[in-house]
Amino acid sequence: MYKFAINRPIATLMFFLALVIFGLFSAFTMNVNLFPNVNIPLIKISAKANGDLNYMESKITKELENAISEIDGLKTLSSASYDNFSVIFAEFKLDKNLEVAANDVRDKLGTLALDAKIEIEKISSDSGANISLFFKSNNSLELMQIIEDKVKPFLQRIDGVGKINAIGFSKPQIRIQLDINKLQKYNLNALEVANIIKNQNFKQGLGELENKDNNFILKGYFEAKTIDELKKIRIYPGVFLSDIAKIENLYENQKQIAFFQDNGVLLEINKISNYNALKMIKNVKKALENLKNELPKNIEFNILYDKSANIIKHLNQVIFDMIFGVFLTLIIVFLFLRNLSATIIAFVAIPTSIIATFFIINILGYDLNRLTFIALTLSMGIFIDDAIVVIENITKKLKNYSALEASYLGVKEIGFSILSISVVLLCVFVPISYMNSISGLFFNALGISVASGVIISFLVSILLIPSLSARFLNSKESSFHQKSEIFFIKIEDFYKNLLYKILKNKIRFIVITFIFLLSCFALALKIGLDFLPMEDDSEFQVFIESKQDLSLEAMKDKSLKILNQIKQDKRVDYAYLLVGHNDAKEASKAKIYIKLKPLEERKERQKTIISGYRTLLKDNNLNIKVLEIPKIDGAGIDDPVQFLVLGDDLNKIKEATLRAKEVLSQNKAIVDIDDDSNAKKAEIALFINQEKAKLLNVNPYYVAEILKYSFNNLIIGSMDRANSKDDIVISLDSKFKQDIDSLKKIHIKNNQGIDLDLSSVVDFLYKEDIKSIHHYNKNRSIKTTAGVNNISLGEVQNLILKNMDFILGKDNLNYAFSGFINLLGETIDGFIFAITLGFILIYLVLAALYESLILPLIIMITMPLAFGGACLGLFLTGHNFSLFVLIAIILLFGMVGKNAILLVDLANKKCHEGLDPDEALIFAGKSRLRAILMTTFAMIFAMLPLALFKGSGYEANSPMAISVIFGLISSTLLTLLVVPVFFKTCFNLDLKIRKIYERKKLL
């Protein structure tokens, strides 16, 4: 293989050129996202029915939960029940296909006979808004009609656009607003008027006419075509609909408000699953100019959210860090090799490996994302490492051989070590593919990227580098090389003398090393644990919930005060308000999205600003939470801390929740503590007086129907408008729906047709009740949520677990964590599993490569040495363990084995050639010292931009890089010193064990 590469340079060049071309093509055509596409099989089931809270919980939610819980692969089931509405989220295990899960849910629910309208929706990780447009006009009705008739159909036709959520949109409809005083005058009620309209305003099929030549469908068009016609519907002789009601072209009652400078409609545009996010956003922006030309001049729109800006910002920062890391790496390579031709040849390995890696990633079905580029940045040291080791070895041979022979002999001598290094790196990442969790998908994206790069890097180092070296490597030593050589000779002599001293004092050195490692591992217990650190994305959100049940307008007024306060902040670019933003469209809940000015235009970072707002935004009548934007769309993770108390008795659950909040409030770093049981609703309870109803011969169902048509905005028909069809809705005029006095004016009739007042059979009572009931895995639950300020999620979790007996008390209650804390547990379990399996695989492979049961253990000593250094680095810099850091540590374990392999491989060869183990180690150490130092420094300097540059993503990138840098430093220093201490003992033990299984080799 080596000879082929050196003898056939054009064939070798064409092979790698093809990889680069396909890599470039892949890089420009692959999907681009901020994070890997974490496909959580999550199904949302919404149910609408006529029923109070208890009815919805017992007759709708529970029935749905029981059916869904029978489906294979279900992981968690959470629900919320409200008056007339229920929503359930069914999360399945990651190996369950989202489409299959959706079909299973449809099949199960299809067998139920429920009096409810059920909608099933697939929620993917990329289902969040990618771009949001805000529309406003001085004519609200025209705005609603234009959005329904033109805007939404226009946007839906754009390539890549999926679901569009319209917040603040109210469907246009014909409103019949009854005057209760006029109804009294004519002894009418809303139900009677509705039935009269239905009987006179309809369209339906009436049969067909058929003869031997033709077939005609009979269709009756008995509906009004205009509002004027609707007004002329006869109620009584001489009494028309217009005499008792106002009939207008309006829109349905607002359940949500979107506010940006004025009221309007916010369209959140999602993309089709697995479609390129950047391409979809680009398509929408490109089409907006045409949309603007189609809209009336009084309708304006703005882009309020653009996910592409965040994606591009982060990717540009990582790419810049990568390029700068390449530049620093080349400086290190040149300073060590002091040969321009060798440096250029080594440099070829980096772009070739990076670009060709895109091709493999694309073939395997992955997308380009921030983790992909971080993986390639972290791997740059690996890419150039293999090339450096080969070039350095070839350069040594140049003193005695021609470039052609030196290239062959150099790569042949070091080829086995390069293979061992590559295999060890691959062994680290193979276990990641078995991690079946959300965090595992993050690990997987990085692992596959690095593993792909390792394969390409191996091919480059053993094929392309020797081929280029045989032709272009200059053996002449420059004056700079000659003058600086003495410096490297002194380093080698210093290391040689140090090694002699250490080998004479092995026990002392082992004790010192052991104490250092124990100290570093002890620091690990003091380092916090987070899932993902808060990054400066120049955006965050404020959630507002009223402690009282407010109307939509009242909640808007309260929220606007907070919005105006935020907009006065010079660090804020803009902000907008959404009231009633959740699935249940609760008027007492609001959300403010805040877009900060770019990082370079402000002094404080986002974390500091959020912390400041948590102190600033206080209101005794409002629960206010300040949170970052969720990094995983669709996972239901807004609050970092989510703790659930489960049970059957809501009162006992509430008591336990209060105790949980008491425990959390003891730590001032835990902020925005809240729970989902605080919401109350005010209601007027109507009770039929059964004795009076029997005495007066009144049908209770008839009474309920009158009230529904009076207050519930029921649809009683439709009317054509252009290409649309507007519902005709009937109810009392809004001015008669403001207090209990309107109820007293309602007229009913008994079964004999005698006119009665509603109050003659109905009693009214003001009362307050809970607004919603939540379930988690079919148990009633209350979720306690909180934010964190300078405290890790691991510490919060430990605080809760330590006080669990106090929280749950002696009641028959249970608990669960959800959100990031739950993901944190999965991440730690996955990390331990990956590391354990990785260690086993590394041992198996190294044992097979070296035909030894003992030598692999010497190489694997470097891994705990690296972990100790990573812990020290995190502790000194004040960073926490996180998903990104754990990913970096897995990568680090693969990196650090390289130094030990280079050392042990050569020492082992010299021992088998008859050299004493200590002398063999000193020879190997001196021979490999430059390569080890050069590759280590190259990897460290490749990490420096990620560690030091405080641009986008610094909060996640810096801890990753710091853990790798400190791990490399500690493992390299200790490898050069610790491995020699153990080598002689292990080698002698290996010789004894070999006698058991080693035999003469068959020829």
Side-chain angles (χ1 to χ4, degrees):
M1 185 163 63
Y2 309 134
K3 285 183 179 178
F4 177 86
I6 294 169
N7 292 334
R8 300 286 301 276
I10 300 300
T12 304
L13 180 64
M14 292 304 106
F15 171 71
F16 286 100
L17 194 58
L19 285 177
V20 169
I21 291 170
F22 283 110
L24 286 171
F25 177 77
S26 299
F28 287 104
T29 56
M30 289 167 67
N31 284 352
V32 179
N33 286 299
L34 184 58
F35 286 106
N37 190 9
V38 182
N39 284 317
I40 306 167
L42 191 65
I43 306 297
K44 174 183 171 184
I45 303 99
S46 303
K48 295 178 182 177
N50 288 324
D52 67 358
L53 178 60
N54 292 323
Y55 174 84
M56 292 302 298
E57 183 202 20
S58 59
K59 297 298 183 182
I60 304 297
T61 304
K62 282 187 176 179
E63 291 292 328
L64 294 172
E65 286 177 337
N66 290 336
I68 296 167
S69 61
E70 296 174 2
I71 300 172
D72 291 336
L74 184 68
K75 185 179 178 183
T76 61
L77 196 62
S78 56
S79 68
S81 301
Y82 306 85
D83 285 334
N84 307 316
F85 179 73
S86 172
V87 60
I88 298 172
F89 287 93
E91 182 186 345
F92 292 85
K93 293 176 182 175
L94 287 178
D95 55 4
K96 183 93 171 182
N97 180 273
L98 183 61
E99 194 64 48
V100 172
N103 289 334
D104 287 349
V105 171
R106 288 191 192 99
D107 292 342
K108 276 292 178 185
L109 300 190
T111 62
L112 301 179
L114 298 178
D115 187 16
K117 182 183 178 182
I118 298 171
E119 292 181 7
I120 298 169
E121 181 183 346
K122 294 175 288 185
I123 308 290
S124 61
S125 65
D126 54 1
S127 63
N130 284 267
I131 184 169
S132 297
L133 307 175
F134 185 83
F135 291 79
K136 66 177 180 178
S137 170
N138 54 10
N139 186 330
S140 297
L141 176 60
E142 182 188 27
L143 176 63
M144 302 304 173
Q145 291 175 339
I146 290 290
I147 284 177
E148 183 176 51
D149 297 343
K150 286 188 177 181
V151 176
K152 287 182 74 175
F154 177 90
L155 294 172
Q156 208 72 66
R157 291 193 298 269
I158 298 173
D159 191 29
V161 170
K163 183 181 176 183
I164 299 175
N165 294 323
I167 300 175
F169 171 75
S170 295
K171 189 175 173 61
Q173 57 185 209
I174 311 298
R175 298 288 294 275
I176 299 175
Q177 301 169 85
L178 299 169
D179 185 322
I180 198 166
N181 295 321
K182 299 286 180 65
L183 292 179
Q184 279 186 310
K185 178 182 176 181
Y186 295 109
N187 290 328
L188 288 166
N189 58 51
L191 175 60
E192 292 171 328
V193 176
N195 288 333
I196 291 169
I197 296 170
K198 287 179 185 178
N199 290 332
Q200 296 188 44
N201 188 73
F202 62 91
K203 178 170 64 177
Q204 70 176 42
L206 303 173
E208 59 183 45
L209 291 175
E210 186 176 0
N211 55 43
K212 63 178 182 180
D213 297 320
N214 297 298
N215 185 17
F216 299 96
I217 300 296
L218 290 177
K219 197 166 186 180
Y221 293 87
F222 306 128
E223 61 181 0
K225 297 180 179 61
T226 65
I227 287 189
D228 286 338
E229 290 184 24
L230 203 58
K231 289 178 179 179
K232 294 176 182 176
I233 289 179
R234 189 186 302 273
I235 303 300
Y236 284 156
V239 179
F240 299 94
L241 185 57
S242 58
D243 293 327
I244 60 170
K246 283 192 300 184
I247 302 97
E248 295 179 292
N249 252 325
L250 289 173
Y251 43 83
E252 63 185 349
N253 286 346
Q254 277 196 306
K255 299 293 184 183
Q256 298 174 309
I257 289 176
F259 186 94
F260 175 69
Q261 298 171 351
D262 201 352
N263 281 3
V265 177
L266 183 75
L267 297 183
E268 295 181 335
I269 305 172
N270 303 341
K271 70 182 181 68
I272 296 170
S273 184
N274 297 323
Y275 194 88
N276 190 325
L278 292 184
K279 187 177 179 183
M280 186 279 264
I281 295 168
K282 184 180 178 183
N283 292 344
V284 172
K285 288 181 176 178
K286 188 177 178 181
L288 289 182
E289 195 59 39
N290 292 332
L291 176 62
K292 190 174 182 180
N293 295 330
E294 291 185 21
L295 297 179
K297 291 183 179 180
N298 64 322
I299 293 181
E300 302 174 17
F301 65 84
N302 301 88
I303 297 175
L304 292 191
Y305 177 72
D306 180 358
K307 195 174 183 179
S308 65
N310 201 24
I311 295 173
I312 293 168
K313 178 179 69 175
H314 276 287
L315 294 187
N316 284 346
Q317 183 66 51
V318 177
I319 292 169
F320 172 80
D321 292 341
M322 184 192 297
I323 293 170
F324 197 78
V326 171
F327 175 72
L328 293 176
T329 302
L330 287 177
I331 292 175
I332 294 298
V333 172
F334 179 73
L335 290 176
F336 271 89
L337 295 178
R338 291 150 297 143
N339 185 317
L340 186 60
S341 63
T343 304
I344 292 171
I345 292 170
F347 167 69
V348 169
I350 297 178
T352 304
S353 298
I354 289 174
I355 296 170
T357 300
F358 290 141
F359 175 51
I360 298 183
I361 294 171
N362 191 23
I363 288 176
L364 295 174
Y366 289 83
D367 57 13
L368 280 183
N369 55 70
R370 183 177 160 199
L371 272 186
T372 306
F373 286 106
I374 287 176
L376 296 177
T377 305
L378 291 172
S379 306
M380 263 193 318
I382 298 171
F383 297 158
I384 203 165
D385 176 18
D386 294 345
I388 288 171
V389 172
V390 172
I391 289 172
E392 199 260 350
N393 212 48
I394 291 172
T395 304
K396 287 180 182 177
K397 303 292 181 185
L398 278 175
K399 295 175 181 178
N400 302 312
Y401 300 95
S402 67
L404 199 69
E405 291 175 310
S407 297
Y408 174 68
L409 293 173
V411 71
K412 184 181 178 184
E413 183 178 274
I414 204 74
F416 185 77
S417 295
I418 300 295
L419 175 64
S420 301
I421 291 168
S422 299
V423 170
V424 165
L425 281 163
L426 290 175
C427 286
V428 171
F429 296 109
V430 167
I432 291 175
S433 61
Y434 291 93
M435 292 173 64
N436 192 22
S437 65
I438 293 172
S439 53
L441 296 177
F442 279 83
F443 280 99
N444 200 271
L446 187 138
I448 292 298
S449 301
V450 176
S452 304
V454 167
I455 294 168
I456 297 294
S457 176
F458 172 72
L459 295 175
V460 168
S461 62
I462 65 167
L463 298 177
L464 184 60
I465 296 300
S467 182
L468 293 174
S469 299
R471 284 152 185 85
F472 304 110
L473 190 60
N474 188 351
S475 60
K476 291 181 181 179
E477 295 179 353
S478 64
S479 57
F480 171 65
H481 185 282
Q482 292 169 353
K483 290 177 182 178
S484 57
E485 181 65 17
I486 190 169
F487 171 74
F488 289 96
I489 292 172
K490 285 182 178 179
I491 291 176
E492 289 175 347
D493 290 338
F494 172 78
Y495 173 60
K496 182 179 177 181
N497 294 329
L498 181 62
L499 213 51
Y500 273 122
K501 290 179 182 179
I502 288 172
L503 290 174
K504 288 179 182 178
N505 299 276
K506 291 180 182 179
I507 303 300
R508 289 182 184 177
F509 186 73
I510 289 172
V511 170
I512 292 169
T513 305
F514 188 68
I515 291 171
F516 170 79
L517 277 178
L518 280 180
S519 302
C520 289
F521 289 162
L523 291 178
L525 300 175
K526 296 182 178 181
I527 298 171
L529 190 61
D530 284 321
F531 181 68
L532 290 173
M534 184 190 295
E535 297 181 284
D536 196 320
D537 292 328
S538 299
E539 59 181 4
F540 62 96
Q541 54 193 349
V542 175
F543 287 93
I544 308 164
E545 182 178 3
S546 171
K547 295 178 181 178
Q548 301 172 328
D549 193 19
L550 298 179
S551 68
L552 200 65
E553 282 298 323
M555 189 64 191
K556 175 191 166 186
D557 291 340
K558 283 185 174 290
S559 303
L560 276 179
K561 291 177 183 177
I562 297 172
L563 178 66
N564 292 330
Q565 187 178 358
I566 291 168
K567 286 164 75 173
Q568 290 171 10
D569 189 342
K570 293 180 180 178
R571 300 166 300 184
V572 172
D573 190 5
Y574 64 86
Y576 63 83
L577 168 69
L578 304 176
V579 184
H581 61 91
N582 64 351
D583 288 316
K585 299 181 180 179
E586 294 175 273
S588 57
K589 291 184 178 181
K591 178 174 77 171
I592 298 175
Y593 170 86
I594 296 114
K595 182 68 177 175
L596 296 173
K597 288 180 178 176
L599 186 56
E600 56 272 15
E601 294 181 24
R602 50 186 162 87
K603 294 179 182 178
E604 296 91 348
R605 295 186 75 88
Q606 180 177 302
K607 186 175 182 179
T608 306
I609 295 172
I610 287 178
S611 181
Y613 270 107
R614 283 174 175 154
T615 306
L616 178 67
L617 300 179
K618 298 290 182 184
D619 191 309
N620 293 330
N621 298 315
L622 300 171
N623 290 323
I624 302 174
K625 296 189 290 186
V626 187
L627 300 170
E628 64 175 318
I629 306 294
K631 288 184 172 66
I632 305 175
D633 293 324
I637 303 169
D638 287 317
D639 301 273
V641 178
Q642 297 185 13
F643 170 69
L644 299 102
V645 179
L646 314 175
D648 296 320
D649 190 327
L650 267 180
N651 291 323
K652 289 182 179 179
I653 297 173
K654 283 180 185 178
E655 290 170 6
T657 300
L658 288 173
R659 292 192 291 268
K661 291 166 73 174
E662 181 186 334
V663 168
L664 292 174
S665 62
Q666 292 171 5
N667 192 318
K668 292 182 180 179
I670 302 173
V671 296
D672 295 339
I673 302 169
D674 193 16
D675 67 70
D676 57 11
S677 71
N678 288 330
K680 301 288 183 182
K681 63 178 180 183
E683 67 176 39
I684 298 172
L686 278 68
F687 298 93
I688 289 284
N689 188 314
Q690 296 292 342
E691 290 186 7
K692 287 184 180 180
K694 286 179 182 178
L695 185 64
L696 296 172
N697 200 12
V698 174
N699 185 343
Y701 181 79
Y702 166 74
V703 173
E705 288 293 293
I706 292 172
L707 292 171
K708 277 165 51 180
Y709 277 98
S710 299
F711 297 97
N712 208 21
N713 298 311
L714 296 182
I715 298 169
I716 58 170
S718 61
M719 184 182 292
D720 293 331
R721 175 178 54 81
N723 296 324
S724 302
K725 211 170 186 61
D726 291 344
D727 292 329
I728 300 173
V729 173
I730 190 169
S731 74
L732 293 178
D733 195 309
S734 57
K735 66 184 179 184
F736 300 117
K737 296 198 293 184
Q738 296 179 359
D739 53 49
I740 203 168
D741 290 336
S742 298
L743 286 167
K744 296 175 181 177
K745 293 181 180 180
I746 298 289
H747 275 227
I748 62 173
K749 290 183 174 66
N750 67 3
N751 291 336
Q752 284 76 41
I754 298 171
D755 192 53
L756 300 168
D757 289 333
L758 179 65
S759 56
S760 61
V761 292
V762 173
D763 297 323
F764 311 119
L765 177 67
Y766 284 106
K767 62 180 291 193
E768 191 176 67
D769 201 356
I770 56 174
K771 190 179 283 187
S772 59
I773 298 175
H774 297 262
H775 288 182
Y776 184 81
N777 287 340
K778 298 173 68 176
N779 295 292
R780 281 185 167 184
S781 69
I782 294 177
K783 182 191 292 183
T784 302
T785 59
V788 289
N789 257 352
N790 299 317
I791 184 173
S792 70
L793 289 180
E795 291 175 83
V796 178
Q797 185 178 23
N798 289 335
L799 176 65
I800 294 172
L801 291 173
K802 194 165 68 175
N803 292 276
M804 192 59 70
D805 290 340
F806 167 71
I807 292 170
L808 297 183
K810 296 181 179 179
D811 300 317
N812 188 24
L813 300 174
N814 209 336
Y815 74 93
F817 290 101
S818 64
F820 280 137
I821 288 184
N822 194 37
L823 294 178
L824 199 62
E826 291 182 359
T827 302
I828 298 301
D829 292 343
F831 175 75
I832 293 170
F833 167 79
I835 291 299
T836 305
L837 187 55
F839 268 52
I840 294 169
L841 287 177
I842 289 170
Y843 177 80
L844 294 176
V845 169
L846 288 176
L849 288 173
Y850 286 99
E851 276 295 320
S852 169
L853 298 172
I854 302 300
L855 289 183
L857 298 175
I858 307 175
I859 294 169
M860 293 169 68
I861 288 173
T862 58
M863 294 175 185
L865 300 178
F867 183 72
C871 293
L872 180 62
L874 291 171
F875 181 79
L876 292 176
T877 55
H879 292 297
N880 292 335
F881 284 114
S882 66
L883 174 66
F884 282 9
V885 170
L886 296 180
I887 287 172
I889 289 174
I890 288 177
L891 178 62
L892 178 64
F893 284 168
M895 287 178 171
V896 298
K898 161 195 70 68
N899 293 336
I901 288 172
L902 290 174
L903 206 60
V904 170
D905 187 45
L906 184 56
N908 189 45
K909 284 179 183 176
K910 291 300 176 183
C911 285
H912 285 292
E913 289 174 7
L915 219 60
D916 178 75
D918 283 350
E919 292 299 322
L921 253 175
I922 291 169
F923 175 83
K926 189 175 179 181
S927 300
R928 294 286 192 244
L929 180 64
R930 293 192 194 189
I932 289 171
L933 290 179
M934 182 167 36
T935 54
T936 301
F937 274 105
M939 286 191 278
I940 288 172
F941 273 75
M943 296 296 102
L944 283 180
L946 282 175
L948 300 178
F949 289 174
K950 295 192 175 183
S952 300
Y954 164 77
E955 292 84 356
N957 296 346
S958 182
M960 285 182 78
I962 285 170
S963 60
V964 172
I965 289 170
F966 275 82
L968 284 170
I969 292 171
S970 69
S971 67
T972 301
L973 289 175
L974 294 173
T975 298
L976 289 170
L977 303 175
V978 174
V979 170
V981 170
F982 289 102
F983 182 78
K984 185 174 183 178
T985 304
C986 291
F987 182 79
N988 291 332
L989 179 61
D990 184 48
L991 288 178
K992 291 178 182 178
I993 294 175
R994 280 175 182 269
K995 291 177 182 178
I996 299 172
Y997 62 85
E998 205 165 49
R999 300 290 182 272
K1000 270 189 176 183
K1001 288 186 171 60
L1002 295 171
L1003 298 175

